[in-house]
Amino acid sequence: MTIIFNAITFIGGWVAVGILALSVSAGLYLACELAEEYSFIVKRYLKISTITLAVTFLFLTIDGLPITNCFFGTFCYVCYLPLLSTFPFVQPLGFQTIGAAVLSIAHHVLWFNYFTSEMFRLYLTHHGTSGIFGMSPAMRVMGFLFVFVWLVPLGFFISLTSVEESLPFASGGQQQRKKKGLFKGFVDSLLERKDEMFPARVKRYQ
């Protein structure tokens, strides 16, 4: 009988996932704050990272990774570059924004399907399961996905600002726009709804 064990591990697992999700959200919110303050540095980082990874994907074919996946990865990163022309402002429903989002999802699905396929198992058999640094296959997959699939799209996600939601302000006699990230705006809207549904109680002290 493992009912108690299964129940506790099931509940504890979902609680751990929830805490991890909150921690990641808090980290992304802080990253949004930094991206708003240092948008020029973030733009330079994204440009260098996008070009570097686009070229690196071509060299990954030498390591025996699928040519189709690597070429599609290069194509995705080339399609991210037009977003830098108006960085950090972007049209949420624009062709470039929607196209980049769709390509990012397709890129993730393509590599996820490869890492769960028999082809990757054969790759591990041929190249070894522990690798040079003694990492497990799961760690190698997570490291690859984080660097080559998630890092740059995540950088765009936390730093891009909707033109419609940016706040106009005057500076030096010229009309400019105050940046407000898409992710940060989304979180702020959730917090406002939370405050409306559950208004804070103010304690009165005599």
Side-chain angles (χ1 to χ4, degrees):
M1 297 294 290
T2 59
I3 298 178
I4 298 177
F5 173 79
N6 290 335
I8 293 176
T9 53
F10 177 81
I11 297 174
W14 280 107
V15 171
V17 170
I19 294 175
L20 179 61
L22 290 175
S23 302
V24 171
S25 300
L28 291 178
Y29 192 86
L30 177 60
C32 288
E33 294 278 359
L34 296 176
E36 289 182 4
E37 294 294 330
Y38 305 100
S39 58
F40 177 77
I41 298 177
V42 174
K43 180 179 180 179
R44 183 171 59 182
Y45 148 75
L46 287 175
K47 183 177 181 180
I48 295 175
S49 300
T50 301
I51 296 176
T52 301
L53 291 177
V55 175
T56 305
F57 264 114
L58 300 178
F59 290 99
L60 289 179
T61 57
I62 302 176
D63 287 342
L65 294 177
I67 298 178
T68 303
N69 293 35
C70 294
F71 280 7
F72 186 77
T74 300
F75 175 73
C76 288
Y77 280 93
V78 171
C79 292
Y80 294 154
L81 290 176
L83 294 175
L84 295 173
S85 60
T86 59
F87 185 91
F89 299 107
V90 68
Q91 293 285 352
L93 299 180
F95 175 77
Q96 294 179 348
T97 308
I98 296 177
V102 172
L103 287 175
S104 179
I105 296 174
H107 192 207
H108 169 80
V109 172
L110 187 66
W111 281 108
F112 183 81
N113 288 337
Y114 167 70
F115 288 127
T116 56
S117 66
E118 185 65 27
M119 184 184 303
F120 181 63
R121 296 187 181 92
L122 294 176
Y123 175 86
L124 292 177
T125 303
H126 184 266
H127 294 81
T129 57
S130 59
I132 299 177
F133 302 102
M135 294 186 299
S136 66
M139 289 295 294
R140 295 167 68 182
V141 170
M142 290 298 297
F144 180 91
L145 291 177
F146 177 76
V147 174
F148 289 97
V149 182
W150 299 336
L151 189 60
V152 170
L154 189 61
F156 277 106
F157 177 67
I158 65 175
S159 56
L160 288 178
T161 301
S162 173
V163 175
E164 290 81 1
E165 294 184 0
S166 58
L167 304 176
F169 71 101
S171 177
Q174 297 180 352
Q175 191 74 8
Q176 301 181 4
R177 287 183 175 273
K178 183 179 180 181
K179 300 182 291 294
K180 186 177 183 181
L182 292 173
F183 178 77
K184 183 180 177 182
F186 173 72
V187 175
D188 288 341
S189 64
L190 292 180
L191 294 177
E192 291 176 359
R193 289 180 179 273
K194 186 266 296 181
D195 292 336
E196 293 176 357
M197 296 177 62
F198 307 100
R201 294 183 179 180
V202 180
K203 294 183 179 181
R204 297 180 179 180
Y205 297 92
Q206 296 181 352

